[in-house]
Amino acid sequence: MATTRMLFAGFGGQGILFAGKFMAYKGLIEDKQVSWLPSYGPEMRGGTANCNVIISDEPIGSPIVNKPDVLVAMNLPSLEKFEASVVPGGKIFIDSTLIDKKVERTDVEVFYIPATKTANDMNISTLANMIITGKLIKEIPGFEMDSVDKVLGKIISARHQDMLEFNKKALETGYNM
Amino acid sequence: MSEKVLMKGNEAIAEAAIKAGCRYYFGYPITPQTEVAAYMSKRMPKIGGTFLQAESEIAAINMVIGVSSTGKRVMTSSSSPGVSLKSEGISYLAGCDLPALVVNVQRGGPGLGGIQPSQSDYFQATKGGSHGDYHNIVLAPSSVSEMAMLTAKGFNLADKYRMVCMILADGTMGQMMEPVAIDDIVIEEVAKPWALTGTECKRPRNIVNSLYLKPEQLEQKNFERFEKYKTVEENEVMYESYMMDDAEICIVSFGITARVSKNAIVAARAKGIKVGMIRPITLWPFPKKPILEAADKVKAFITVEMNMGQMIQDVELAERCKKPVYLCNRTGGMIPSPEEVLASIEKVNGGEN
């Protein structure tokens, strides 16, 4: 893994920025170079949110991801907006509970994950983001689950420690899907 | 070195300011710099400092004038339209020879403009920005760790020269997170015999003032100030030279566009095009000398900017029109892609311009 450019996109409130932050911290803990850049426009107020995450063995130039290797799409507008930008051979992760549409491109690898339904069934409805992230960790070469405990410890504040186990469960569920 | 954590550029500025001894922050929220104020509002009360959300940007900069005149380290931050409102106060700070740190996390303009990143306040920042003969020291960070490092450096420079030091960042630099360890911050203490600290009837009173009704006196004051600016120009220029050893094309770019340019340079080098970059870290004083030296070696310059072409004028002045200078730009909140910069490099390399 020289450089992985990721784009997380969905509705505000789905934990898009958190999922990106989780991956960025994962990179940091594994001694990689990382950058995380959120959208901060008016779209965040009730519309789509997205963040760019780069994890690399090399120093990172531009933190902007115009052509992602990995796209996580958690709603239809995000898929429609970003599908064409994914590099040939890239991977697209889709929350198939919320997106009926299939990816039209044939030069990318697509994973349809019923993340929101699974999260609801598990009674952790706010953690569909982490189910998809678990699947992402499994499918991207170079990513492992080893550092997950440490990463969650870093990004979940002391006040919300009770959420740590739920996040881990969501990640593991996604990883095993 | 302490453990690295992920921080937004805006948060790194705030934490570095606190570590640099700043205990007074006055501001007013505006996207995309609000995290500076938010961070200060949480931290300052815990360390005995003052966070105050003023009723306006104008009030905030005047509070900065007040604290600075007592000799304490003080700062304010805003984004483009807010910095315009602060401009009058910045001129007064310059006229009173008061040190202060002002942060501009730029967004698109003119007017209320947009909230996406921009570099279109380059003229405003580097040419003074308000009325009268004066300069600010202007620092342009290109990473989250530079946001921190240059903030601390900015306080030292402001104190040393009794000048306003401006951090000229943009929405991307403010919002992005990168690993950072904010340590190794050195506070260079400077005696401030001019400060208004109370005479205790033991010394003549100090006066901080920018009003000089006798033109002979004001002229003399301005002469003295420009002697000081000359010293700053001689001693404080900072820049990064990137792959310039054999470069035939020299990109000049700062902040976020310098990072985009690095991607384009790597891609151009892979195609056999010899291109490098001079990245000004101080925008004022501008790195004139390395650019003039490069003019004898390269065949052309390209400035990469997020405005309609502002720094390009300083590059043309610095290299004294020895070689052509081309512009690769986006504006209004748009960011040039590495592909656009690469296309510009290829065009200049092919002599198509």
Side-chain angles (χ1 to χ4, degrees):
Chain A
M1 185 188 69
T3 299
T4 307
R5 296 182 172 84
M6 295 181 276
L7 176 55
F8 294 78
F11 289 121
Q14 280 183 310
I16 293 295
L17 302 186
F18 184 87
K21 193 172 165 184
F22 172 83
M23 289 308 293
Y25 248 110
K26 191 170 179 322
L28 170 62
I29 280 171
E30 291 166 12
D31 284 327
K32 308 280 187 193
Q33 306 285 329
V34 301
S35 68
W36 176 94
L37 177 69
S39 60
Y40 62 88
E43 72 268 20
M44 274 181 72
R45 293 158 180 94
T48 57
N50 71 71
C51 71
N52 299 175
V53 177
I54 303 178
I55 301 179
S56 181
D57 294 324
E58 311 288 329
I60 294 165
S62 171
I64 298 148
V65 177
N66 297 316
K67 295 179 177 171
D69 304 302
V70 175
L71 168 65
V72 173
M74 292 192 67
N75 67 5
L76 184 61
S78 299
L79 179 63
E80 286 175 338
K81 186 172 177 190
F82 297 118
E83 179 182 332
S85 67
V86 177
V87 297
K91 294 182 167 72
I92 302 181
F93 296 80
I94 286 175
D95 186 337
S96 57
T97 312
L98 303 177
I99 305 173
D100 289 333
K101 195 173 162 266
K102 298 287 173 202
V103 170
E104 285 162 18
R105 287 177 60 179
T106 52
D107 60 344
V108 290
E109 204 176 341
V110 188
F111 302 91
Y112 297 96
I113 304 131
T116 294
K117 183 180 184 303
T118 309
N120 286 338
D121 291 347
M122 291 170 69
N123 224 5
I124 47 170
S125 58
T126 56
L127 291 175
N129 60 336
M130 300 312 275
I131 292 177
I132 271 202
T133 304
K135 181 68 173 169
L136 185 155
I137 292 171
K138 185 176 183 183
E139 300 297 340
I140 310 291
F143 290 157
E144 303 295 340
M145 287 287 275
D146 308 352
S147 56
V148 160
D149 281 327
K150 210 172 157 192
V151 179
L152 289 175
K154 288 266 177 210
I155 60 171
I156 296 177
S157 63
R159 213 148 49 91
H160 295 115
Q161 279 305 301
D162 55 318
M163 288 302 291
L164 202 147
E165 278 309 309
F166 293 120
N167 274 271
K168 198 177 166 189
K169 214 166 109 189
L171 284 164
E172 282 168 351
T173 303
Y175 190 85
N176 293 319
M177 272 174 129
Chain B
M1 200 157 117
S2 58
E3 193 185 358
K4 282 191 175 179
V5 293
L6 281 182
M7 257 185 158
K8 281 193 172 192
N10 285 336
E11 296 165 341
I13 283 179
E15 181 59 26
I18 289 167
K19 290 221 164 86
C22 174
R23 291 295 178 272
Y24 300 89
Y25 174 92
F26 306 104
Y28 189 81
I30 180 171
T31 305
Q33 69 77 50
T34 301
E35 292 82 3
V36 181
Y39 195 94
M40 288 300 196
S41 73
K42 279 188 206 134
R43 287 275 280 130
M44 281 300 196
K46 288 180 187 158
I47 54 172
T50 298
F51 163 85
L52 202 152
Q53 180 173 322
E55 66 269 35
S56 72
E57 286 86 348
I58 298 171
I61 193 75
N62 281 284
M63 291 172 189
V64 168
I65 295 174
V67 169
S68 180
S69 64
T70 70
K72 303 289 188 195
R73 285 191 163 184
V74 56
M75 74 177 286
T76 185
S77 64
S78 193
S79 180
S80 308
V83 174
S84 289
L85 287 166
K86 290 179 200 292
S87 293
E88 181 196 46
I90 293 172
S91 175
Y92 279 64
L93 284 162
C96 297
D97 298 303
L98 288 173
L101 191 85
V102 177
V103 176
N104 183 359
V105 183
Q106 297 169 93
R107 56 189 254 181
L112 212 44
I115 59 171
Q116 296 304 320
S118 158
Q119 297 172 337
S120 55
D121 304 345
Y122 178 90
F123 282 154
Q124 184 194 47
T126 59
K127 312 300 173 197
S130 189
H131 64 279
D133 272 331
Y134 75 96
H135 283 292
N136 301 321
I137 295 172
V138 184
L139 307 177
S142 189
S143 66
V144 172
S145 59
E146 271 192 1
M147 291 283 257
M149 190 270 279
L150 293 177
T151 294
K153 172 110 186 163
F155 277 108
N156 288 338
L157 289 173
D159 274 356
K160 184 174 176 188
Y161 294 106
R162 294 178 66 182
M163 286 175 71
V164 171
C165 184
M166 180 177 280
I167 304 289
L168 193 68
D170 68 78
T172 336
M173 299 307 317
Q175 294 296 322
M176 71 182 285
M177 287 202 295
E178 282 184 314
V180 61
I182 303 179
D183 41 26
D184 301 330
I185 285 189
V186 180
I187 300 176
E188 289 163 14
E189 297 278 0
V190 176
K192 295 179 176 175
W194 48 266
L196 310 184
T197 54
T199 64
E200 295 177 0
C201 301
K202 286 174 188 161
R203 60 162 170 84
R205 64 181 180 158
N206 285 338
I207 296 174
V208 171
N209 178 34
S210 70
L211 180 67
Y212 294 89
L213 287 174
K214 290 183 182 154
E216 302 82 1
Q217 264 187 3
L218 182 52
E219 183 186 50
Q220 193 50 41
K221 230 20 218 175
N222 286 342
F223 283 159
E224 286 167 16
R225 211 166 277 134
F226 272 73
E227 279 303 310
K228 176 172 79 181
Y229 294 159
K230 219 171 111 187
T231 313
V232 176
E233 287 190 279
E234 279 161 11
N235 296 325
E236 306 298 350
V237 170
M238 287 189 282
Y239 64 96
E240 178 195 359
S241 187
Y242 179 71
M243 294 195 179
M244 279 301 293
D245 284 350
D246 62 344
E248 292 169 359
I249 297 171
C250 174
I251 286 179
V252 184
S253 192
F254 67 93
I256 183 65
T257 46
R259 295 181 62 142
V260 174
S261 298
K262 276 191 181 176
N263 289 32
I265 289 167
V266 170
R269 289 258 170 192
K271 292 184 169 194
I273 304 171
K274 290 178 178 169
V275 53
M277 176 167 63
I278 292 173
R279 173 174 75 89
I281 298 171
T282 49
L283 295 177
W284 197 92
F286 195 68
K288 293 178 193 167
K289 203 171 148 223
I291 288 172
L292 181 60
E293 284 167 3
D296 291 327
K297 297 178 196 157
V298 301
K299 60 183 182 187
F301 292 87
I302 304 171
T303 68
V304 183
E305 307 181 58
M306 295 196 303
N307 54 50
M308 286 308 292
Q310 299 191 12
M311 184 179 62
I312 189 169
Q313 296 189 4
D314 280 336
V315 174
E316 282 171 335
L317 281 171
E319 58 108 32
R320 296 175 196 168
C321 300
K322 285 188 173 185
K323 298 287 161 62
V325 186
Y326 302 103
L327 175 66
C328 173
N329 69 318
R330 296 296 299 266
T331 181
M334 299 300 291
I335 305 171
S337 67
E339 290 75 20
E340 285 171 277
V341 180
L342 177 61
S344 179
I345 294 168
E346 288 181 311
K347 207 169 152 195
V348 169
N349 188 51
E352 282 176 52
N353 267 292

